[in-house]
Structure formats: structure tokens, C-alpha cells
């Protein structure tokens, strides 16, 4: 059973608009979450993270929001750029150094 | 400074053959991981290692063997490859501190 879920396999947005990628988790004990970005033929790269003691973390155009009561987090990209087109993976860090990944969302930013 | 490398990048093999995927890091990170990426499943942990000579199973270890005699290398062996092991395999490292995992470029394996 998937403990980290990304229910949207794909998302298409126009350049300059906001991209919102969603992630749900099932275990309320999870206390640290990460987003990774993956381009074709490359390994995933770390994008942004959030601890459960916060409800928001921002890094430039990227903001992650955490709603612990709903067991939901989202990644906002504003403004979206064509270079943001990639697969985005949400991950939870339930124990030291081990990650549980979601299935990924393919973001396509149209020029 | 390559950081983390994987070889080969692409491999085609036949059912029943033994295949070894290599992973090498230059950072001396304590932790190393093997994942497979499949459509609809995301990244799933196969095996991980906390240090040389310490390995443990992940979510999908069946059919795979690992070893870690040196800190910098973490080979993954498919003892008798099956078609269901066709996948993209990623190696990752972690320093063990308040840090993230760093991934290699991946190996695309096709089992015919």
C-alpha cells in the first residue's frame, strides 16, 4: 500500500502561471518531507524540504506547504518556466536516512 | 569531481543471466542506497547500506544481492535476471547528517 501518494500523474501549465503539485501521505508519524525533481536520463535532484514543525518553506520560486491535519503537502512553483518541465517526486523521511517516494507527477510547462 | 557514478548506463541482458550494476562515490558518504524506478510505482528502495559491510533490505529486495566491502562502492547483482527486473536503477548516497540523498545518473536495464 502506497504510504506516499501523488494522485496526478501529469500536469500541464502555461509559462508564467502557477504550478501546484500535490502529495498525500498516510502515516501521521512522518515528520520530514522532501521534493525531488527529475529530468529524463538523469537522477533525481533535491529541490526543497519541510519539517513537520513548519507549515511552509520557501526557496525562490518554489514553496512547499504542509497541512498535517490533512496529511497533505503541496509544491507551488511561481512563475513556472519551461525549464521546470520534469517529473517531481514527493518523499517522506520516516526514519533516519530512508525515504519513501510517491509515484511522481510529470509537469509540462508550455511556452 | 564526479561525485556518484553508475555503470553501465544501459544494459540489455537475457532472462536467467547474472548482471551486476556498479555504483561508485567519491564523497565517502556513510549511507548508500539502490532504488528502482517503474511507471506507476515511483522510486522503490531495493537495498541500503549504513557503512562498509553493513547492508539491509528495503521494500523490494527479492532477486537482488548487494555487498559493500569498501565505503565507495555498492554493487547490485541480479543473480538470475527476470523480465520483471526490467527497470531504471538508481544508486544514491547520504552523509548521515542533516542532509539529503544524492542520486547517480541511473542504469537502464532491459531483460529480454
Amino acid at each position: 500500500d502506497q504510504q506516499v501518494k501523488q494522485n496526478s500523474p501529469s500536469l500541464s501549465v502555461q509559462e508564467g502561471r502557477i504550478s501546484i503539485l500535490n502529495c498525500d501521505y498516510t502515516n501521521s508519524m512522518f515528520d520530514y518531507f522532501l521534493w525531488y525533481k527529475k529530468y529524463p536520463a538523469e537522477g533525481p535532484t533535491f529541490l526543497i524540504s519541510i519539517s513537520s514543525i513548519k507549515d511552509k518553506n520557501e526557496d525562490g520560486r518554489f514553496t512547499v506547504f504542509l497541512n498535517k491535519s490533512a496529511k497533505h503537502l503541496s509544491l507551488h512553483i511561481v512563475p513556472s518556466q519551461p525549464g521546470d518541465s520534469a517529473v517531481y517526486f514527493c518523499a517522506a523521511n520516516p526514519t533516519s536516512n530512508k525515504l519513501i517516494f510517491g509515484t511522481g507527477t510529470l509537469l509540462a510547462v508550455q511556452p | 569531481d564526479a561525485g556518484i557514478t553508475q555503470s553501465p548506463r544501459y544494459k540489455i541482458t537475457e532472462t536467467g543471466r547474472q548482471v551486476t550494476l556498479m555504483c561508485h562515490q567519491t564523497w565517502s558518504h556513510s549511507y548508500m542506497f539502490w532504488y528502482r524506478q517503474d511507471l506507476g510505482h515511483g522510486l522503490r528502495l531495493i537495498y541500503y547500506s549504513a557503512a562498509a559491510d553493513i547492508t539491509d533490505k528495503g521494500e523490494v529486495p527479492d532477486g537482488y544481492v548487494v555487498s559493500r566491502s569498501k565505503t565507495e562502492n555498492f554493487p547490485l547483482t541480479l543473480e538470475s535476471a527476470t523480465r520483471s527486473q526490467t527497470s531504471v536503477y538508481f544508486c544514491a548516497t547520504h552523509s548521515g547528517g542533516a542532509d539529503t540523498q544524492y542520486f547517480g545518473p541511473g542504469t537502464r536495464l532491459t531483460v529480454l
Side-chain angles (χ1 to χ4, degrees), chain B residues 28-77:
Chain B
S28 298
H29 284 174
S30 300
Y31 289 84
M32 296 188 76
F33 307 83
W34 275 106
Y35 293 89
R36 58 179 290 173
Q37 183 196 0
D38 304 288
L39 196 63
H41 292 279
L43 291 155
R44 292 181 291 175
L45 182 64
I46 304 171
Y47 269 97
Y48 67 101
S49 169
D53 298 321
I54 301 175
T55 62
D56 206 350
K57 296 178 180 179
E59 180 186 355
V60 289
D62 293 344
Y64 303 95
V65 175
V66 294
S67 62
R68 195 167 175 208
S69 57
K70 293 183 178 181
T71 298
E72 61 266 31
N73 296 324
F74 191 38
L76 176 74
T77 298

Side-chain angles (χ1 to χ4, degrees), chain A residues 17-56:
Chain A
R17 307 293 288 268
I18 184 171
S19 295
I20 300 177
L21 294 91
N22 294 304
C23 179
D24 297 294
Y25 59 96
T26 57
N27 191 333
S28 58
M29 298 299 292
F30 291 169
D31 61 3
Y32 191 71
F33 303 90
L34 307 90
W35 284 93
Y36 280 80
K37 177 179 181 179
K38 184 187 177 305
Y39 291 119
E42 295 184 11
T45 56
F46 171 73
L47 187 58
I48 193 169
S49 62
I50 189 165
S51 165
S52 61
I53 62 173
K54 294 184 173 182
D55 54 16
K56 176 183 173 181

Side-chain angles (χ1 to χ4, degrees), chain A residues 48-59 62-68 74:
Chain A
I48 193 169
S49 62
I50 189 165
S51 165
S52 61
I53 62 173
K54 294 184 173 182
D55 54 16
K56 176 183 173 181
N57 189 25
E58 191 171 355
D59 184 1
F62 302 90
T63 302
V64 56
F65 296 91
L66 176 62
N67 182 334
K68 292 184 287 295
S74 61

